[in-house]
């Protein structure tokens, strides 16, 4: 059983003597932008990697030039506009999501560098042992969902990453931000004409991204479910959005079976157990909220941000349904 701190290895041990220096991979991505802000605000000494992770030699050269003590890898390919892209671009998805991620983990292991990978928890689906409302999937559970090429490759990747003693794997799910960014889970479901209504573990980024930096700073390793505790349904989130942001908002449900008919790939629905994460965050002195409270706070910040930017009459700035776009 993997411990939360980095285990000993016959490969390079993590360097603990050198002054902290951080490297961010994925500077142009959504999470990467948030990490640049956090590292800057925290007064961290950091550099932004320029190499593509699948280019092992150039990635190695950057690591050797800058000699970071901490690497944050927020790169990867979910696809545009969504994971269906991976179904028809499988080789490209593999290069980024598997080969690139393995390169970074392996290069950091060789050099004794702590490495944090922003991975995914969309590798599980509810089953007989983990029904809706029942026990969540733990860090010890192996992936059981391969309904999309994206999820299938991420499940393979996670198994291989278990062999690396300097890597921290964070299982992010359905990330939610305070703004109406296109990749924000709330923005996505607000725009859909119809939504399924299934409880899921989700990651509220305003709370969780600072937690990830604290975990990296503490040099935790192994796999962590990286979601706010609990599970929240699509309807619960949309009801909060209607209450707090847009009283005129309407939505309609449909079944998972109906959803599958209009998608190239199936979608993962699950709850991840937060026990291990909460214990680690307590050790790091970090507090995160239960998912319903975290969502309510997030949507309230969303409304306040809209008012600050556009005034009380911000209605025409809200996302339109896909059918109206």
């Amino acid at each position: 059983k993997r411990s939360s701190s980095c285990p000993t290895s016959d490969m390079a041990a993590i360097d603990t003597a050198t002054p902290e220096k951080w490297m961010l991979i994925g500077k142009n991505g959504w999470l990467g932008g948030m990490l640049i802000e956090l590292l800057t605000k925290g007064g961290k000494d950091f550099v932004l990697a320029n190499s593509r992770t699948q280019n092992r030699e150039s990635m190695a050269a950057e690591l050797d030039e800058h000699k970071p003590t901490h690497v944050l890898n927020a790169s990867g390919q979910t696809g545009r506009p969504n994971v269906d892209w991976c179904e028809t671009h499988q080789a490209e998805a593999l290069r980024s999501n598997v080969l690139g991620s393995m390169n970074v983990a392996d290069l950091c292991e060789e050099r004794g560098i702590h490495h944090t990978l922003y991975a995914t928890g969309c590798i599980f689906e509810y089953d007989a042992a983990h029904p809706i409302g029942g026990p969540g999937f733990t860090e010890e559970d192996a992936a059981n969902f391969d309904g999309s090429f994206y999820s299938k490759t991420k499940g393979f990747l996670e198994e291989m990453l278990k062999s690396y003693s300097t890597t921290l794997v964070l299982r992010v799910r359905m990330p939610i931000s305070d703004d109406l960014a296109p990749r924000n889970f709330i923005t996505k479901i607000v725009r859909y004409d119809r939504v399924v209504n299934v409880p899921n573990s989700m990651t509220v980024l305003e709370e969780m991204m600072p937690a990830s930096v604290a975990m990296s700073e503490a040099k935790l390793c192994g796999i962590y479910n990286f979601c706010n505790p609990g599970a929240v349904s699509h309807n619960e989130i949309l009801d909060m959005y209607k209450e707090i942001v847009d009283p005129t908002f309407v939505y309609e449900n449909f079944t998972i079976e109906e959803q599958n008919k209009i998608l190239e790939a199936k979608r993962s629905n699950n709850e991840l157990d937060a026990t291990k994460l909460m214990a680690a965050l307590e050790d790091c002195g970090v507090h995160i909220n239960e998912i319903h409270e975290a969502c309510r706070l997030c949507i309230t910040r969303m409304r306040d941000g809209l008012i600050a930017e556009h005034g009380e009459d911000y209605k025409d700035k809200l996302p339109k349904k896909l059918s109206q776009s």
Side-chain angles (χ1 to χ4, degrees):
K1 190 166 179 172
R2 292 181 68 84
S3 65
S4 55
S5 59
C6 294
T8 55
S9 166
D10 56 358
M11 293 178 247
I14 284 189
D15 179 359
T16 54
T18 308
E20 267 186 19
K21 183 171 187 180
W22 299 66
M23 176 181 281
L24 171 65
I25 302 170
K27 62 181 180 180
N28 296 321
W30 186 37
L31 299 187
M34 294 181 189
L35 286 166
I36 290 171
E37 281 187 32
L38 282 169
L39 294 172
T40 303
K41 197 182 297 183
K44 304 291 189 195
D45 179 13
F46 71 96
V47 293
L48 304 176
N50 293 310
S51 304
R52 297 180 72 85
T53 57
Q54 55 264 49
N55 297 340
R56 185 182 175 92
E57 289 76 15
S58 59
M59 198 74 251
E62 282 203 71
L63 289 169
D64 291 339
E65 177 188 353
H66 296 292
K67 295 182 169 47
T69 56
H70 298 71
V71 169
L72 303 175
N73 184 2
S75 68
Q77 187 60 263
T78 53
R80 294 285 193 278
N82 53 47
V83 295
D84 285 348
W85 178 91
C86 297
E87 302 298 314
T88 52
H89 298 77
Q90 295 190 1
E92 290 165 77
L94 280 171
R95 280 183 212 117
S96 176
N97 293 343
V98 177
L99 299 178
S101 298
M102 288 293 290
N103 273 340
V104 177
D106 192 55
L107 291 166
C108 287
E109 181 86 11
E110 285 181 339
R111 291 159 177 75
I113 300 169
H114 186 272
H115 163 233
T116 300
L117 175 65
Y118 294 85
T120 183
C122 291
I123 56 176
F124 298 102
E125 62 180 344
Y126 289 115
D127 61 14
H130 308 85
I132 292 174
F137 291 91
T138 72
E139 287 80 359
E140 306 301 320
D141 288 318
N144 74 340
F145 175 73
D146 61 1
S148 69
F149 186 75
Y150 171 82
S151 291
K152 182 161 67 171
T153 61
K154 290 289 194 172
F156 293 155
L157 172 66
E158 188 178 278
E159 280 302 307
M160 292 187 286
L161 288 173
K162 289 178 181 177
S163 298
Y164 290 101
S165 67
T166 67
T167 288
L168 169 64
V169 178
L170 301 178
R171 290 175 175 169
V172 177
R173 286 210 77 230
M174 297 178 167
I176 293 173
S177 63
D178 289 8
D179 55 11
L180 286 161
R183 310 211 75 153
N184 178 0
F185 179 74
I186 296 177
T187 309
K188 290 180 180 181
I189 62 172
V190 162
R191 298 193 69 207
Y192 294 155
D193 293 302
R194 296 185 296 167
V195 295
V196 296
N197 184 35
V198 188
N200 271 284
S201 285
M202 302 189 192
T203 305
V204 176
L205 296 170
E206 177 74 13
E207 298 187 6
M208 301 300 286
M209 294 305 281
S212 73
V213 175
M215 293 172 75
S216 181
E217 197 157 29
K219 296 190 172 175
L220 301 182
C221 296
I223 297 167
Y224 282 83
N225 291 335
F226 198 64
C227 303
N228 294 78
V232 64
S233 71
H234 299 62
N235 285 14
E236 287 175 313
I237 288 178
L238 292 176
D239 288 344
M240 288 185 216
Y241 179 84
K242 181 180 176 75
E243 174 198 340
I244 298 168
V245 174
D246 181 7
T248 67
F249 181 77
V250 292
Y251 64 91
E252 185 183 334
N253 289 127
F254 66 158
T255 66
I256 291 176
E257 291 72 28
E258 288 172 318
Q259 182 192 51
N260 288 342
K261 289 176 184 173
I262 64 167
L263 299 173
E264 292 291 327
K266 293 180 179 178
R267 298 295 191 264
S268 157
N269 291 291
N270 67 61
E271 180 173 353
L272 301 179
D273 183 279
T275 307
K276 179 181 175 183
L277 174 70
M278 296 303 283
L281 292 183
E282 188 176 350
D283 289 344
C284 293
V286 174
H287 170 76
I288 60 170
N289 289 294
E290 188 275 335
I291 188 60
H292 292 84
E293 178 64 14
C295 284
R296 178 166 287 279
L297 290 168
C298 175
I299 294 169
T300 301
R301 291 191 298 268
M302 182 185 289
R303 179 201 61 201
D304 294 346
L306 285 163
I307 292 170
E309 189 173 355
H310 305 293
E312 295 283 347
D313 189 18
Y314 55 73
K315 183 79 190 334
D316 63 340
K317 305 298 181 184
L318 297 177
K320 304 283 189 291
K321 297 280 187 193
L322 290 172
S323 59
Q324 298 167 354
S325 306

